Amino acid sequence: MSAPFFIKKKENPKLAKKGNTAVDGDSGGKSKLRAKKAISRHNEEISSDSETESPVVSRKRQSKEETDYDETPQEKKLRLAKLYLEQLKEEEDDKAEDDSFETDLIAGRLQEEVVRLMPPDASEIRVLRGHKLPITCLVISSDDKYIYSAAKDCSIIKWDVESGKKLHTIPGGRKGTEDRHVGHTTHILCMAISSDGKYLATGDVNKLIMIWEAETCKHLYKFTGHKGPVSGLSFRRGTHDLYSASHDRSVKVWNVDENAYVETLFGHQDAITGLDSLSRELCVTAGGRDRSVRVWKIAEESQLVFHGHEGSIDCIQLINEEHMITGADDGSVSLWSVNKKRPLSTVKKAHGCHGDAGLEQPHWVASVAALQNSDTVASGAFGCPPYQLFITTHTGFVNSLKFSSSGQFLVAGVGQEHRLGRWWRLKEAKNAIYIIPLKRKLPNPEEARIPE
């Protein structure tokens, strides 16, 4: 028989003691003992200081004395269940009132302090050109002084943000020269920089991870172990722990300080297409055609699985430790919470469609970016502008997007081809980096006023 429902409240110690006395004390008479045992049972299962329940109990007891009627176990469970549901309803009503008050307060504060972004003039967008083939990935140093970019030409370039000049170039090598060339000899798909700006990591189609000294672009280490192209890299913030993801469906953990491999995690059913992490000892990944987003708890060696997109999930970015944004080739952009298995919000066909009438297909979302700990996000697709902030058109595939730490500018890496393949080639596009300033304007006082 299943256990009955119980109402959890503080027990009255005096009545509890009285109930124990009824069981352990001298037996005065059979009827008296039965009555005291009945009272003891009620004291154990329902709190004796419940005001809403006391009149019901008294009527039951009176009925028992007059009609000598015993309550069946089924009736007893039904009565307790009704009381339990009434208590839950009261608690939920109180909670709803509190949440409503907090929501109104927060909404009013946000409306008061809202800051809007203005689309920049075309003359304000700076273009940096140096790669011969499509740019696939880029990162910005935490002090916003430098941009590091990589491309399908296997080269890496360090740029000065203020002047727009090249500071260092690591040329790519030809296929077959891996033994003697210092650097990559095939397409670079991903890169990451440590939060202190000490290390730069890059991953390529040839299953290799290269570690560089970010200041001088000097080669330090080469990590091997993945059995497929390395498609995602991220340093845990505040440390030199490196997370890597690959088309071999695995996530690996490395210690760059010790030049050491730590462990491998498995779970995805298809090639992993993107990875990101922040300060906690966890990372998030996009699983491509398995249509799953996963949160990996490294210390616990466990994972959480999320579903929501209808197509291949090609990019992912954490907004904060609790929320993330993803983009897919079904044209959708989704916002997630690590506490829910389904997206909090999804924008379908975020960048519109292309193709002949009746055969339209959504533009693939190739990149997403989030300004850390804010409500500002951006996404990019082929032939389309970064979305959500404003409309600014760049011909080509927006293969990588990154916000500066200060939120003063957005950097877009654009190429003639998608970073993961060669399904299309837009000859009119430029393989270039676009630095887009983020201009803010405060709302009018009338707009910022909190409605009474």
Side-chain angles (χ1 to χ4, degrees), residues 196-261:
D196 61 358
K198 183 177 181 180
Y199 296 116
L200 177 72
T202 53
D204 66 16
V205 174
N206 210 24
K207 315 170 191 175
L208 298 177
I209 299 172
M210 302 279 189
I211 305 297
W212 312 84
E213 187 179 80
E215 179 66 26
T216 62
C217 291
K218 176 185 176 183
H219 182 263
L220 299 176
Y221 314 125
K222 180 189 295 184
F223 291 158
T224 61
H226 278 296
K227 298 178 181 179
V230 181
S231 54
L233 289 170
S234 179
F235 280 96
R236 181 185 172 196
R237 184 173 294 177
T239 73
H240 294 148
D241 294 337
L242 177 67
Y243 304 132
S244 64
S246 169
H247 288 187
D248 64 9
R249 302 177 291 181
S250 71
V251 174
K252 291 185 183 292
V253 184
W254 314 82
N255 187 315
V256 177
D257 280 332
E258 302 294 333
N259 186 20
Y261 158 79

Side-chain angles (χ1 to χ4, degrees), residues 251-310:
V251 174
K252 291 185 183 292
V253 184
W254 314 82
N255 187 315
V256 177
D257 280 332
E258 302 294 333
N259 186 20
Y261 158 79
V262 179
E263 63 178 322
T264 301
L265 304 172
F266 296 96
H268 277 290
Q269 303 302 310
D270 195 58
I272 302 175
T273 53
L275 178 146
D276 195 24
S277 68
L278 289 177
S279 299
R280 292 182 183 174
E281 197 173 358
L282 60 79
C283 63
V284 296
T285 54
R289 289 291 169 191
D290 75 3
R291 302 179 183 179
S292 74
V293 173
R294 298 183 186 237
V295 177
W296 303 82
K297 298 181 179 180
I298 307 299
E300 302 173 14
E301 295 186 359
S302 63
Q303 56 187 286
L304 303 176
V305 185
F306 304 82
H307 293 279
H309 284 286
E310 297 176 359

Side-chain angles (χ1 to χ4, degrees), residues 369-388:
L371 184 58
Q372 299 298 319
N373 301 311
S374 76
D375 59 355
T376 304
V377 299
S379 63
F382 97 83
C384 294
Y387 175 77
Q388 187 69 29

Side-chain angles (χ1 to χ4, degrees), residues 85-156:
L85 291 175
E86 288 178 2
Q87 183 181 1
L88 287 180
K89 184 178 179 181
E90 291 177 2
E91 292 176 356
E92 290 298 325
D93 290 343
D94 294 341
K95 183 179 178 181
E97 292 179 1
D98 294 340
D99 290 344
S100 177
F101 175 76
E102 291 179 1
T103 301
D104 293 342
L105 187 65
I106 294 171
R109 184 65 179 271
L110 289 175
Q111 187 173 3
E112 183 181 19
E113 297 183 354
V114 67
V115 176
R116 295 181 180 177
L117 293 170
M118 299 167 49
D121 297 329
S123 59
E124 296 176 321
I125 300 176
R126 292 189 290 156
V127 182
L128 309 181
R129 301 194 64 182
H131 291 286
K132 298 176 181 178
L133 293 179
I135 295 170
T136 55
C137 53
L138 58 86
V139 293
I140 307 172
S141 61
S142 58
D143 58 7
D144 293 345
K145 292 182 178 180
Y146 309 110
I147 298 172
Y148 299 83
S149 62
K152 289 187 176 182
D153 59 11
C154 315
S155 67
I156 301 169

Side-chain angles (χ1 to χ4, degrees), residues 341-394:
K341 298 291 186 179
R342 293 286 177 179
L344 299 177
S345 178
T346 298
V347 179
K348 295 187 175 181
K349 299 179 181 178
H351 292 265
C353 297
H354 66 96
D356 298 331
L359 298 174
E360 297 92 347
Q361 294 291 325
H363 288 289
W364 295 3
V365 178
S367 58
V368 292
L371 184 58
Q372 299 298 319
N373 301 311
S374 76
D375 59 355
T376 304
V377 299
S379 63
F382 97 83
C384 294
Y387 175 77
Q388 187 69 29
L389 298 174
F390 39 71
I391 301 300
T392 174
T393 303
H394 305 296

